[in-house]
Amino acid sequence: MQATPAPLRQRLRAYVALMRMDRPIGTLLLLWPTYWGLWLAARGTPSLDHFLIFTVGTWLMRSAGCVINDYFDRDFDRQVARTCQRPLATGLITSRAALRLFVILCLLAAALLPFLNWLTIWLAAGAVLITVTYPLFKRFTHLPQAYLGIAFSFGIPMAFAATLGQVPALAWWLMLANACWVVAYDTAYAMADRPDDLKAGIKSTAILFGRFDRHAVAGLQAVMLMTFFGIGVEQGMHWPYWIALAGATVLAAYEQSLLGGDRDQAFRAFLHNNWIGLLLFWGIVAGLAPCGVPILPTAL
């Protein structure tokens, strides 16, 4: 077989990097709350078609979000050490090509919508609007993380809408918990970039909170965990849920120790949140199941 020309391989790697396919942490952090919503809405037995639609749709929209974020931030990214080698910042991919890719990813995600009800479709339209406008918020407010919290929580009401045809109070409480979690871990992310962001004029909660950043992250984590506690009581969760919630509390405390270190430690704290999301997902799945035995998605 003839080898692929080096320039083409380089461009393919650039598109992979632009969509963050080589760094799936963002997709995972978006998937966990969506799965929380699916399992809670279906009381532990989500349909296989909904599971697949939301998994594929989350991956596509996360990729689209990364593309449009890098498109708007390409000038800022050149000034930040962690992002200066991104494909748009280096010119390896053109702005026009990035916009084409964004449209293609959105169209692929839209192809999944006919399999869902109208309420879910309207919520999806709102999710796209938030995805497109999120990168602009860091230009005029120190709270882009709060807006990201909404963006990364939209899978929750969509999961309830697709499953139940409505969005009950439980979905909004879960969305609140997740939004607090997102602001907490994205503040840790911003703490790693704070010196560069200050030079580039980028606003963030890490800059807003200043020397109280760890306290703010701890407070947000506490609200998230207390909300999960209330959800567990209200839903009558079995014992695995409470073990998972206790484990998530320990992991959050460990992240506080990381935030006391340097920039690399702050970034480690951000990455560490994947384990909190996974643990809480396991707790919901097992906590809803009879005798704590997880149940796989079921076909219609």
Side-chain angles (χ1 to χ4, degrees):
M1 179 182 296
Q2 187 176 0
T4 305
L8 179 56
R9 287 202 303 269
Q10 187 179 25
R11 286 178 62 83
L12 290 175
R13 284 196 298 268
Y15 278 106
V16 167
L18 181 60
M19 294 185 288
R20 307 291 198 278
M21 292 174 64
D22 57 335
R23 297 183 179 182
I25 178 65
T27 303
L28 291 171
L29 291 173
L30 189 55
L31 270 176
W32 298 133
T34 303
Y35 287 165
W36 301 343
L38 275 176
W39 258 260
L40 282 169
R43 292 297 302 172
T45 55
S47 65
L48 181 59
D49 60 338
H50 282 165
F51 176 76
L52 294 175
I53 287 171
F54 277 92
T55 298
V56 175
T58 297
W59 179 82
L60 288 170
M61 287 311 300
R62 167 59 182 162
S63 298
C66 291
V67 173
I68 199 65
N69 180 79
D70 285 9
Y71 171 79
F72 283 118
D73 285 358
R74 58 193 184 278
D75 293 329
F76 285 132
D77 284 345
R78 297 187 183 103
Q79 305 175 59
V80 178
R82 186 181 49 79
T83 61
C84 64
Q85 294 303 312
R86 285 179 175 174
L88 279 170
T90 60
L92 193 58
I93 294 177
T94 66
S95 299
R96 183 174 297 181
L99 286 177
R100 284 198 299 265
L101 177 60
F102 172 74
V103 171
I104 290 170
L105 290 168
C106 288
L107 289 174
L108 290 173
L112 300 170
L113 294 179
F115 300 98
L116 301 171
N117 58 40
W118 276 106
L119 177 57
T120 312
I121 293 172
W122 282 112
L123 288 170
V128 172
L129 178 62
I130 292 174
T131 298
V132 173
T133 55
Y134 159 70
L136 303 175
F137 268 63
K138 66 188 73 173
R139 288 158 170 77
F140 60 85
T141 176
H142 282 94
L143 295 171
Q145 281 73 22
Y147 199 66
L148 183 69
I150 298 173
F152 265 48
S153 300
F154 239 77
I156 294 171
M158 288 178 62
F160 276 87
T163 303
L164 303 175
Q166 60 178 325
V167 184
L170 172 59
W172 301 116
W173 282 109
L174 189 62
M175 191 172 181
L176 170 65
N178 186 66
C180 289
W181 182 46
V182 173
V183 177
Y185 68 63
D186 205 54
T187 297
Y189 185 95
M191 287 168 68
D193 289 341
R194 181 161 45 196
D196 293 328
D197 287 348
L198 285 168
K199 294 177 183 177
I202 300 174
K203 297 177 173 62
S204 72
T205 48
I207 295 173
L208 176 66
F209 296 145
R211 61 190 180 92
F212 299 106
D213 48 12
R214 289 179 65 192
H215 300 84
V217 170
L220 289 161
Q221 290 174 325
V223 173
M224 175 225 187
L225 294 167
M226 287 188 293
T227 305
F228 265 93
F229 181 87
I231 289 173
V233 172
E234 194 272 335
Q235 292 294 300
M237 290 292 197
H238 298 307
W239 59 267
Y241 179 87
W242 302 108
I243 292 177
L245 187 57
T249 303
V250 172
L251 293 177
Y254 171 67
E255 288 178 9
Q256 282 295 308
S257 69
L258 293 176
L259 291 176
D262 57 18
R263 296 172 64 174
D264 291 339
Q265 292 288 79
F267 191 68
R268 279 186 59 200
F270 160 72
L271 295 173
H272 188 262
N273 280 273
N274 178 54
W275 300 110
I276 292 181
L278 172 60
L279 185 58
L280 289 173
F281 173 58
W282 174 84
I284 290 172
V285 173
L288 286 169
C291 303
V293 179
I295 299 175
L296 296 175
T298 56
L300 288 179

